[in-house]
Amino acid sequence: MKLDFNKNQLVVEPIQNKSAVSIQGLSHWFGSGGMRRQVLESISLEIERGEVVLLTGPSGCGKTTLLTLIGALRKIQKGDLFLFGHQLRGSSRDLRQKLRRKVGMIFQGHNLLRCLTAEQNVQMGADLLKDLSYKGRRNQARQWLRAVGLEEQNRFLPHDLSGGQKQRVAIARALAANPHLLLADEPTAALDGATGREIVDLMKRLAREQSCAVLIVTHDPRILDVADRLLEMEDGRLHPPLR
């Protein structure tokens, strides 16, 4: 399977299994003793490969916690969470690390390394592709910077970039790893309307052409139409699909 941007071919391996994420009865708590607070309650959810799911809901309702659990960044406390067919509850650290290599994550805080240029930050994602040479990974980084409209800023350090440009670098870094699952936390929050639309259209194209599952947490009403499914969360519970 191939993804083509500006006549550059990004080659990815085919993915066979249909379901990327399968969740049953997932619950999660923060704190202990009298300070213990439940943040997720009995979440059940399936996300198929090639599907774009948008998750909405008020701040503090558990959306980001759910993303970090799906991304194997937290241990599962209760319930079942299968990522690419692997059970995360009770899984080893080694397995979680291997699975995270297949997951692209876009955080609200960008998490760029200040000492690296935009191109070098994006190449950190491409470096996960062990079958590519150094030159191939560098070219991959440049192609994704071009895809998000930052080809001219490839040598800029993060402090030379605007908030929206940093967000686009973070998005390019996640996409450069050719993820099987993309988890995005408010990816358009720092972007203007036109750029935000370009980015979510890019994610949808990634889903279609690379069979990548995409889960986007958002408060942005301008991008709701990109979703195959809209879900709403409130007080740690998923509501029935909005459509």
Side-chain angles (χ1 to χ4, degrees):
M1 302 181 68
K2 294 183 178 181
L3 186 60
D4 179 16
F5 290 106
N6 299 319
K7 300 181 180 179
N8 291 300
Q9 298 291 323
L10 303 181
V11 181
V12 299
E13 62 184 77
I15 307 170
Q16 303 299 329
N17 295 332
K18 189 175 183 181
S19 180
V21 178
S22 179
I23 302 173
Q24 291 293 327
L26 182 68
S27 296
H28 198 77
W29 291 262
F30 287 147
S32 60
M35 300 298 292
R36 194 169 191 248
R37 179 174 66 90
Q38 186 165 14
V39 292
L40 294 177
E41 183 174 348
S42 300
I43 300 292
S44 294
L45 174 65
E46 297 276 340
I47 305 176
E48 296 180 356
R49 301 187 189 277
E51 183 181 26
V52 179
V53 178
L54 264 63
L55 178 60
T56 67
S59 298
C61 70
K63 303 186 300 296
T64 298
T65 300
L66 179 60
L67 247 63
T68 57
L69 287 166
I70 294 174
L73 296 176
R74 298 181 189 274
K75 290 185 178 180
I76 306 301
Q77 296 175 347
K78 182 179 180 182
D80 296 312
L81 199 165
F82 291 87
L83 184 60
F84 312 124
H86 296 276
Q87 169 70 279
L88 290 186
R89 178 170 50 84
S91 62
S92 67
R93 180 179 179 182
D94 182 60
L95 175 61
R96 293 194 299 273
Q97 288 178 337
K98 289 179 179 178
L99 292 175
R100 282 197 295 268
R101 297 176 67 89
K102 301 180 180 182
V103 179
M105 295 201 69
I106 301 167
F107 300 96
Q108 291 188 55
H110 315 309
N111 290 350
L112 303 180
L113 290 184
R114 293 177 293 178
C115 60
L116 299 182
T117 65
E119 180 181 306
Q120 290 168 334
N121 268 285
V122 175
Q123 189 171 331
M124 289 179 63
D127 284 344
L128 296 175
L129 303 175
K130 298 303 183 183
D131 56 334
L132 287 183
S133 65
Y134 172 82
K135 183 178 180 180
R137 297 194 300 272
R138 184 186 63 189
N139 289 338
Q140 179 108 324
R142 290 177 177 177
Q143 289 168 15
W144 281 112
L145 279 174
R146 185 180 301 116
V148 300
L150 291 178
E151 183 178 14
E152 299 299 321
Q153 289 78 23
N154 68 317
R155 296 183 182 275
F156 285 24
L157 292 170
H159 66 74
D160 296 319
L161 299 171
S162 69
Q165 289 172 331
K166 291 177 185 177
Q167 183 73 332
R168 281 187 276 168
V169 172
I171 290 167
R173 179 181 58 191
L175 300 182
N178 289 341
H180 298 179
L181 170 66
L182 181 63
L183 303 174
D185 195 357
E186 301 285 359
T188 63
L191 306 178
D192 60 72
T195 303
R197 167 53 57 179
E198 291 175 2
I199 292 299
V200 296
D201 285 346
L202 182 65
M203 292 180 184
K204 186 155 190 173
R205 189 174 174 185
L206 177 79
R208 295 292 181 267
E209 298 185 16
Q210 193 173 316
S211 295
C212 176
V214 179
L215 176 60
I216 301 174
V217 165
T218 187
H219 288 100
D220 190 348
R222 302 170 298 180
I223 66 170
L224 297 183
D225 62 302
V226 77
D228 297 308
R229 276 191 295 151
L230 295 175
L231 301 176
E232 184 178 11
M233 179 175 281
E234 187 172 0
D235 297 329
R237 301 183 183 90
L238 275 184
H239 288 190
L242 302 179
R243 79 171 186 210

